[in-house]
Amino acid sequence: MDPLKQGVDVVAGTPGRVIDLIKRGSLSLLEVQFVVLDEADQMFNVGFMDDVETIQGYMSQKHKTIMILATMLNSIIKLTQKFFKNPVNVDLAGDFIQISLFAISSEMREKPAIIGTLITEHAKVGKCIVFTKTKCNADQLASARQRHFSSEALHGDISQKEMKRTLSGVRDGPFNMLVATDDD
């Protein structure tokens, strides 16, 4: 028998896969109590807003939705107003952290200089995260910036031990620049 039909406590899936399971009759969301949309801002940036709305339509009104995101987009504010009663915003950055977001298109060879200028001008006393498209780019940028900033790369090829050391170093100490990618 299909485990989903027997009942499960947690279902994790992309919006498209969840909709597919619902339409095939393999998944019912009527008893869902909690929905977690991880990286909701990124999901909506790539066009999953309609799919999330479709999935919400298959649920009873008695559930809580938690969205985890790095940026509060206008589209997400509209979604919360449409689907949520009394939404609560938990800002983990708080008033102590100022976040600036820059998107600049450039050739790879130009990036270290551009990033250096941005950091010098905008992150004078803080820490920064630079996102790249690939693991190779993350390694190259972290290495190129080592002369001027204490930087480390973070991606799927980094061991668990090294990842913990890097994150601890960014949070508590010596590293002020993290070059990361979600590229597995």
Side-chain angles (χ1 to χ4, degrees):
M1 178 178 248
D2 185 354
L4 289 175
K5 289 187 179 182
Q6 292 177 12
V8 295
D9 292 327
V10 177
V11 174
T14 62
R17 183 68 172 139
V18 170
I19 290 170
D20 178 55
L21 290 169
I22 292 167
K23 289 184 177 179
R24 286 193 290 137
S26 298
L27 178 64
S28 171
L29 302 180
L30 295 177
E31 295 185 39
V32 168
Q33 295 175 359
F34 295 96
V35 175
V36 178
L37 301 174
D38 190 19
E39 295 192 32
D41 48 347
Q42 293 302 313
M43 287 175 43
F44 299 144
N45 278 340
V46 296
F48 286 130
M49 179 74 78
D50 292 340
D51 289 345
V52 171
E53 288 186 48
T54 298
I55 292 168
Q56 291 279 350
Y58 285 99
M59 293 183 210
S60 71
Q61 296 300 314
K62 297 179 182 180
H63 71 277
K64 294 186 185 285
T65 300
I66 300 166
M67 293 193 300
I68 301 168
L69 43 88
T71 55
M72 186 58 95
L73 306 170
N74 286 335
S75 57
I76 292 176
I77 292 170
K78 289 178 186 174
L79 179 78
T80 59
Q81 292 168 344
K82 181 175 181 178
F83 284 105
F84 305 142
K85 295 177 184 174
N86 305 317
V88 175
N89 180 20
V90 178
D91 183 357
L92 296 180
D95 294 335
F96 301 106
I97 298 175
Q98 288 185 327
I99 297 174
S100 299
L101 178 64
F102 296 92
I104 298 173
S105 179
S106 70
E107 295 292 324
M108 184 59 199
R109 61 183 161 68
E110 300 169 330
K111 288 183 182 186
I114 292 170
I115 290 168
T117 301
L118 284 171
I119 292 169
T120 301
E121 291 295 318
H122 299 283
K124 293 179 182 176
V125 293
K127 307 224 180 219
C128 66
I129 302 174
V130 176
F131 291 99
T132 66
K133 187 171 179 92
T134 67
K135 294 180 275 192
C136 182
N137 287 356
D139 289 335
Q140 288 174 352
L141 279 174
S143 177
R145 296 311 314 159
Q146 282 279 336
R147 290 185 304 250
H148 298 74
F149 302 97
S150 180
S151 60
E152 287 288 324
L154 186 66
H155 53 68
D157 285 349
I158 304 292
S159 71
Q160 187 71 22
K161 181 180 176 183
E162 190 67 19
M163 188 178 303
K164 285 182 180 181
R165 183 192 70 78
T166 298
L167 291 174
S168 176
V170 170
R171 183 180 51 247
D172 302 326
F175 307 137
N176 60 350
M177 180 175 154
L178 180 64
V179 184
T181 180
D182 59 3
D183 185 23
D184 293 330

